[in-house]
C-alpha cells in the first residue's frame, strides 16, 4: 500500500508540473476580480504546504528558501509581498526536487505519529505522517483547480 500512496503523490505532482508548463509566466501575477491570489502564489503555496506537512511537522529541516513561508504560507497574498517572488523556473525546480525528496523520506514512516497532532484550518486533526501526507494530495488538487479557474478568468478577457 505504501508504494501505491507514493505513486499517487507522484501522479498528483505530475499533474501540477504539467499544469505549470502550460501556463505562460507572463500572466502568473494577474489577480482577476473575485480572487485573492495569483497563479504564481498558488504554485508556491503548493510547494510550501507540502514541505510543511511532510518535513516541517516532524521537526525536520524544510528544504525551501526561507522566504517561501513569507510569500506562500497560509494567509499570505501577493498584494502584501515586500520582496520579489521566485520565478516559475525556481518554483518548478522546487516542486520536482520535492517529489524526489519526499519519496525517499516518507518510506516506512506513514504510520509514524506526529510529535504534536496537526489541526488544519477546517479543524480537522491529523495524528500521523500518513494522514497529513494523504491530506496533502487533496490540498494540492484544490489549488490546481484554483489555478485552472484563474487561468480561465485571465484568458477570457
Amino acid at each position: 500500500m505504501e508504494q501505491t500512496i507514493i505513486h499517487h503523490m507522484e501522479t498528483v505532482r505530475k499533474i501540477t508540473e504539467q499544469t505549470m508548463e502550460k501556463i505562460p509566466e507572463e500572466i502568473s501575477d494577474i489577480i482577476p476580480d473575485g480572487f485573492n491570489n495569483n497563479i504564481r502564489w498558488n504554485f508556491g503555496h503548493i510547494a510550501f504546504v507540502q514541505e510543511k506537512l511532510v518535513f516541517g511537522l516532524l521537526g525536520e529541516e524544510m528544504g525551501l528558501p526561507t522566504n517561501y513561508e513569507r510569500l506562500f504560507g497560509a494567509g499570505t497574498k501577493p498584494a502584501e509581498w515586500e520582496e520579489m517572488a521566485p520565478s516559475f523556473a525556481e518554483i518548478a525546480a522546487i516542486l520536482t526536487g520535492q517529489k524526489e525528496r519526499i519519496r525517499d523520506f516518507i518510506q516506512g514512516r506513514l504510520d509514524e505519529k506526529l510529535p504534536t497532532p496537526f489541526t488544519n484550518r477546517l479543524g480537522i486533526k491529523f495524528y500521523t505522517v500518513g494522514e497529513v501526507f494523504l491530506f496533502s494530495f487533496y490540498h494540492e488538487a484544490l489549488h490546481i483547480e484554483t489555478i485552472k479557474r484563474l487561468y480561465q478568468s485571465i484568458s477570457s478577457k
Side-chain angles (χ1 to χ4, degrees), residues 50-69:
Q50 183 79 339
E51 193 79 15
K52 180 177 179 180
L53 292 176
V54 173
F55 298 101
L57 293 181
L58 284 172
E60 299 286 330
E61 184 175 335
M62 292 181 23
L64 297 176
T66 57
N67 66 342
Y68 269 59
E69 184 167 12

Side-chain angles (χ1 to χ4, degrees), residues 73-91:
T76 62
K77 49 189 161 194
E80 298 172 351
W81 287 349
E82 296 180 3
E83 59 192 289
M84 181 77 83
S87 70
F88 255 35
E90 180 184 327
I91 296 170

Side-chain angles (χ1 to χ4, degrees), residues 109-154:
R109 300 185 83 164
L110 294 178
D111 291 325
E112 185 177 328
K113 296 261 186 240
L114 297 172
T116 304
F118 172 71
T119 305
N120 72 4
R121 291 173 58 176
L122 297 173
I124 300 168
K125 195 172 270 197
F126 302 96
Y127 298 92
T128 68
V129 171
E131 289 172 349
V132 293
F133 188 50
L134 290 170
F135 173 74
S136 74
F137 308 154
Y138 170 76
H139 176 266
E140 189 158 339
L142 281 177
H143 283 278
I144 288 302
E145 185 57 33
T146 298
I147 289 165
K148 289 177 180 178
R149 288 187 305 122
L150 281 160
Y151 183 68
Q152 284 178 326
S153 180
I154 293 165

Side-chain angles (χ1 to χ4, degrees), residues 13-28 39 43 88-89 92 95 144 147-148 150-152 154-155:
R13 185 51 58 90
K14 184 174 185 171
I15 292 167
T16 300
E17 292 166 339
Q18 289 173 339
T19 302
M20 191 171 202
E21 290 169 6
K22 293 176 186 173
I23 297 176
E25 185 168 9
E26 302 79 55
I27 67 163
S28 69
I39 291 170
F43 283 122
F88 255 35
L95 288 167
I144 288 302
I147 289 165
K148 289 177 180 178
L150 281 160
Y151 183 68
Q152 284 178 326
I154 293 165
S155 298

